[in-house]
Amino acid sequence: MTKKDYYEILSVERTASGDEIKTSYRKMAMKYHPDRNPGNHEAEEMFKECAEAYEILSDPTKRQRYDQFGHQGVTGGPGGFSGFTDMNDIFSHFGDIFGGGQGGSIFDEFFGGGGRNSQRRKQGGGVRGSDLKISLKLTLEEIADGIEKTIKVKKQKTCETCKGTGAKGESGFTKCAHCNGSGEVRQVSRSIFGQFVNVTMCDVCHGEGRVVKEKCSDCHGEGRVKTEAEIKVNIPSGVSDGNYIPLEGQGNAGMRGGPAGDLYIHLEEEVHSIFQREEDDIYYELDLSLVDAAIGADVIVPTLKGKAKLKIDAGTQPGSILKMSHKGIQRLHSDRRGDQLVRINVHIPTKLSGKEKDTLRELAKSENFQPQTGKKKSSKGFFKKVFTD
């Protein structure tokens, strides 16, 4: 059975932002949640479909593969979607969206569960660090075979003095007075449906239940310091301008022991001085003399890996394209390599001596120098496969 389009399931456009996708998923999951539709198998299936769609579209890498290859690009395999085992698996996966921890209900946030904050305190609290984005320029030669690059990134790292806590040892903390150490703030409201308890994370201690009393002298209570780090990144062959590589956990360190953000490396392809790229093939313009085009020649042409010999057959016509097999770019995630296509331009001299003009006039009397007008030209040989040494 053909799967539905993930964007259609979540009722969002293909250009929707991450926040728009998250908001729509939350709305759809609330609508089809089993607690609101007891015994409704159809609603349960819709709930699972929404979870699967969000699992893919909320992840930049998976979303890019889905946009490019459809369901085949994200079904199973490393980094793909392998399915949820049950409802608890879904709640565990996306509990942070609804305020529930593992096994918690989607309505914990509205009915007083507070699972997220409890889980935060168990993990030691802290605020997640921000993501970073840098641009990396690549030459066509680097793209052709892939390359390992070392980049310098200015970011915040965990303070080594306080190990990210922001305090002078354990004695440097005190209980948060705003939430009384619980890490949660509860607000009770009444409506025609009864009493509701809304549990939110304490914005003073960020769910930790404690605040820094004596700050670390190196990080001044943040638990992180500014630094410049060198990071190695493997650039696969065949990447294109606008592609990006996500590096998980390589962004800014979180405050007071929080997890680090991610680093996104956006790739920029530099314009080449002599080659023009078309997917995995490259084009090169070769200027031939009238003589070489007429009687043939062996010429040396540049390639991405140096130089190579190219045989020019006698009678090669202007505009012909000769193919140098496997001299192009290695395809992304494949062993297949593109070709180098050489477009022939025949140089027509603009300045001739009297003797040269006489020679050409004499040659023009020959039948071989007369254009074959009125005859249908064969398309055979327009694309010629040429093997080089």
Side-chain angles (χ1 to χ4, degrees):
M1 185 174 67
T2 305
K3 282 192 172 186
K4 292 182 181 177
D5 182 82
Y6 286 144
Y7 292 97
E8 183 181 337
I9 291 173
L10 295 183
S11 298
V12 295
E13 299 292 332
R14 301 189 78 84
T15 55
S17 66
D19 287 340
E20 288 172 335
I21 290 172
K22 182 175 181 179
T23 299
S24 182
Y25 170 57
R26 191 177 190 279
K27 184 189 300 182
M28 299 292 283
M30 292 282 284
K31 178 180 178 181
Y32 294 110
H33 188 274
D35 288 358
R36 281 190 169 179
N37 303 273
N40 188 333
H41 179 70
E42 193 173 318
E44 182 178 326
E45 288 304 310
M46 281 299 301
F47 183 75
K48 291 178 180 177
E49 283 187 1
C50 290
E52 178 178 337
Y54 182 71
E55 155 75 6
I56 299 302
L57 299 185
S58 63
D59 184 291
T61 303
K62 294 177 183 177
R63 181 178 180 181
Q64 184 184 38
R65 286 204 300 267
Y66 176 71
D67 288 343
Q68 187 173 1
F69 303 109
H71 290 284
Q72 290 184 339
V74 294
T75 303
F81 178 77
S82 55
F84 296 109
T85 56
D86 53 28
M87 289 296 182
N88 285 335
D89 189 16
I90 296 175
F91 297 145
S92 172
H93 222 72
F94 305 124
D96 63 314
I97 294 180
F98 308 104
Q102 185 168 351
S105 168
I106 197 171
F107 300 111
D108 280 349
E109 179 179 322
F110 300 101
F111 298 109
R116 179 182 182 184
N117 293 331
S118 299
Q119 188 73 7
R120 177 185 290 274
R121 288 195 302 277
K122 291 176 184 177
Q123 295 174 347
V127 180
R128 182 185 184 275
S130 59
D131 296 334
L132 294 175
K133 170 188 170 182
I134 64 170
S135 297
L136 179 61
K137 292 185 177 182
L138 298 171
T139 65
L140 207 53
E141 286 82 359
E142 292 171 334
I143 291 173
D145 294 287
I147 191 173
E148 182 182 78
K149 286 275 193 177
T150 300
I151 57 176
K152 290 184 178 182
V153 182
K154 291 182 179 181
K155 64 175 188 175
Q156 293 172 313
K157 71 170 186 176
T158 301
C159 176
E160 296 179 358
T161 303
C162 65
K163 308 302 181 186
T165 65
K168 289 183 178 180
E170 286 299 317
S171 61
F173 290 100
T174 186
K175 184 169 68 174
C176 177
H178 188 66
C179 65
N180 199 30
S182 67
E184 301 171 345
V185 176
R186 295 171 178 253
Q187 294 179 326
V188 180
S189 60
R190 295 182 181 276
S191 72
I192 59 174
F193 300 106
Q195 178 174 293
F196 288 85
V197 179
N198 186 30
V199 181
T200 59
M201 181 184 69
C202 176
D203 58 4
V204 175
C205 66
H206 301 287
E208 293 183 60
R210 61 181 186 175
V211 293
V212 176
K213 180 176 63 175
E214 295 181 73
K215 296 180 180 180
C216 169
S217 57
D218 287 350
C219 66
H220 307 291
E222 278 201 16
R224 57 186 185 175
V225 294
K226 293 180 179 179
T227 186
E228 184 175 75
E230 287 192 351
I231 298 175
K232 290 185 177 181
V233 55
N234 287 312
I235 310 296
S237 62
V239 295
S240 301
D241 187 79
N243 288 164
Y244 65 88
I245 298 176
L247 298 180
E248 187 176 353
Q250 294 289 351
N252 281 323
M255 291 180 60
R256 293 183 295 280
D262 301 328
L263 172 63
Y264 292 90
I265 301 175
H266 288 250
L267 306 179
E268 296 181 2
E269 180 180 321
E270 293 183 338
V271 176
H272 202 278
S273 59
I274 60 173
F275 294 121
Q276 181 179 343
R277 179 182 180 182
E278 183 122 353
E279 295 184 348
D280 301 321
D281 297 331
I282 59 171
Y283 281 82
Y284 174 70
E285 302 277 346
L286 176 62
D287 293 328
L288 279 181
S289 70
L290 186 62
V291 175
D292 286 344
I295 66 176
D298 287 334
V299 298
I300 302 299
V301 297
T303 70
L304 289 173
K305 291 188 175 182
K307 295 181 179 180
K309 184 189 294 185
L310 177 62
K311 179 178 175 59
I312 307 296
D313 291 336
T316 296
Q317 299 299 304
S320 296
I321 295 179
L322 309 183
K323 182 166 73 172
M324 303 176 71
S325 299
H326 315 305
K327 296 291 186 182
I329 296 169
Q330 183 173 326
R331 180 172 295 181
L332 183 65
H333 305 313
S334 172
D335 293 331
R336 182 181 172 185
R337 184 177 288 274
D339 305 316
Q340 177 167 322
L341 303 174
V342 180
R343 185 182 288 109
I344 301 299
N345 300 319
V346 176
H347 172 68
I348 305 297
T350 57
K351 294 181 179 181
L352 295 171
S353 66
K355 182 178 181 181
E356 291 168 337
K357 290 178 181 179
D358 291 340
T359 301
L360 288 176
R361 289 191 185 101
E362 191 65 30
L363 290 172
K365 298 176 182 178
S366 170
E367 183 180 352
N368 292 330
F369 277 82
Q370 298 300 317
Q372 302 298 311
T373 57
K375 293 184 179 181
K376 182 178 179 181
K377 295 183 179 180
S378 172
S379 61
K380 293 181 180 179
F382 185 74
F383 290 95
K384 297 182 180 180
K385 188 174 184 180
V386 178
F387 295 92
T388 60
D389 294 338

